[in-house]
Amino acid sequence: MKAVILAAGYGTRLQRDVVADSSGRFAHLVGTAKPLLPVGSSVLISHWVHALSRSDCADCIYVVTNAVYLAAFEQWASHFTNVKIVSDQTRSNDDRLGAVACLQLAVKHFDIEDHVLVIGGDTLFKEDFSLSEVKGRFSDLQAKSENSCLVLSYQCKEEETHKYGILEVGSDLRVLCMKEKPLPSETKSRSACPCFYMFSKKSLPLLDTFLEEKKEAPIDEKDAPGNFVSWLILREPVYTHQVSGRFDVGNLPSYIECDLYFREKRDVGSYMV
């Protein structure tokens, strides 16, 4: 399995918060890509590299960034032997390719023909999460059908459904559909779907199909990776694995919460393994 970490975003909300913060405590974060933010004892994305390596979940880790942050990511990656970087060549949020196109870029640039684990570069999970456990579940699904894919879910609050993609799931844990940011009245489900997906190698050609269909669509319809997942659910068997929660570093308060959690955490060595 190969891992692709999506890190081509510009973190506009977080940067706006950092600049506006009058305390000065976070001035050192100005101009820092979200995956390279210090979280506990290391930068955010390094937690993933350590966990992926220790769990033998992926034999190579590919990171998609943009032209603005390319040099910073290349410097960070020089400390690892199993990490490779590719830039989407964009220089502003207005010109972004979108997460699905970035995933397609990684698949083509690195000639990936294996199963792919896709991870949002601004996401971490709580300590009950286990890569080995999730990989085992994916292997079991693959033994039944080589087309099977796996996503995660966690229970969000009723008033939060409008922030996330919400999964509606059958009794066999197969995903029936994903509703994008619905009102609580529009779905009975409270199963939020974070950016962590295990795509079978047989599903990878569908990236081209999806992007061809969306060629003339506005960026909002092909930016969030959940748009592809929603589309894929109607074509391939996609199952869910439940976790207790996640950290989604989108603004300054969410960054502070995530950093504090990892500063207080002692056993970082086994985290997410």
Side-chain angles (χ1 to χ4, degrees):
M1 182 178 289
K2 305 295 187 289
V4 174
I5 299 179
L6 301 173
Y10 289 86
T12 50
R13 279 186 301 151
L14 178 66
Q15 287 300 311
R16 188 165 55 240
D17 288 355
V18 168
V19 171
D21 178 64
S22 59
S23 72
R25 287 173 52 209
F26 306 100
H28 61 290
L29 302 181
V30 172
T32 302
K34 286 197 291 184
L36 296 177
L37 292 170
V39 173
S41 60
S42 67
V43 300
L44 191 158
I45 194 173
S46 292
H47 289 289
W48 280 114
V49 175
H50 294 314
L52 288 164
S53 301
R54 290 171 179 151
S55 65
D56 291 324
C57 194
D59 51 20
C60 199
I61 301 166
Y62 303 119
V63 179
V64 187
T65 186
N66 56 55
V68 174
Y69 293 127
L70 178 60
F73 275 98
E74 287 180 334
Q75 182 179 7
W76 163 79
S78 66
H79 300 288
F80 303 98
T81 59
N82 60 340
V83 177
K84 296 180 180 180
I85 309 292
V86 64
S87 169
D88 69 0
Q89 303 297 320
T90 68
R91 289 194 164 273
S92 75
N93 190 58
D94 291 338
D95 297 330
R96 69 192 186 279
L97 299 184
V100 183
C102 284
L103 174 56
Q104 181 197 47
L105 170 65
V107 170
K108 292 184 179 299
H109 183 82
F110 296 111
D111 196 25
I112 300 175
E113 297 180 342
D114 200 354
H115 304 313
V116 174
L117 167 56
V118 180
I119 301 169
D122 56 1
T123 297
L124 287 170
F125 291 104
K126 299 193 173 177
E127 55 193 311
D128 69 312
F129 173 81
S130 165
L131 276 167
S132 299
E133 185 178 325
V134 176
K135 185 182 179 183
R137 176 82 197 290
F138 179 74
S139 296
D140 290 344
L141 292 171
Q142 279 287 302
K144 297 175 183 176
S145 170
E146 293 182 348
N147 294 326
S148 294
C149 302
L150 183 64
V151 301
L152 299 184
S153 67
Y154 65 95
Q155 293 298 298
C156 72
K157 297 176 182 177
E158 181 169 316
E159 62 270 20
E160 294 178 331
T161 60
H162 72 283
K163 297 180 181 180
Y164 309 121
I166 301 296
L167 302 176
E168 296 190 348
V169 181
S171 58
D172 59 351
L173 298 182
R174 179 169 175 170
V175 181
L176 304 176
C177 70
M178 181 161 79
K179 295 189 174 181
E180 188 62 28
K181 300 181 178 179
L183 294 173
S185 59
E186 295 174 327
T187 177
K188 293 181 179 179
S189 174
R190 301 293 179 260
S191 295
C193 183
C195 185
F196 180 102
Y197 319 116
M198 286 186 170
F199 292 135
S200 71
K201 56 187 174 184
K202 289 187 174 291
S203 71
L204 297 185
L206 293 176
L207 287 166
D208 294 343
T209 307
F210 172 82
L211 288 170
E212 180 61 29
E213 285 187 14
K214 300 290 184 180
K215 185 168 55 176
E216 305 299 329
I219 186 67
D220 289 347
E221 291 186 25
K222 49 191 173 183
D223 185 9
N227 291 330
F228 174 66
V229 175
S230 296
W231 182 90
L232 183 67
I233 287 165
L234 304 177
R235 292 160 177 83
E236 300 289 353
V238 177
Y239 294 85
T240 184
H241 178 83
Q242 190 160 331
V243 296
S244 68
R246 62 145 173 185
F247 295 100
D248 176 17
V249 179
N251 54 23
L252 188 55
S254 60
Y255 166 70
I256 293 170
E257 178 190 7
C258 183
D259 182 44
L260 180 62
Y261 178 89
F262 282 88
R263 286 181 183 277
E264 294 177 345
K265 184 174 173 56
R266 296 179 181 178
D267 186 18
V268 178
S270 62
Y271 171 66
M272 296 199 305
V273 175

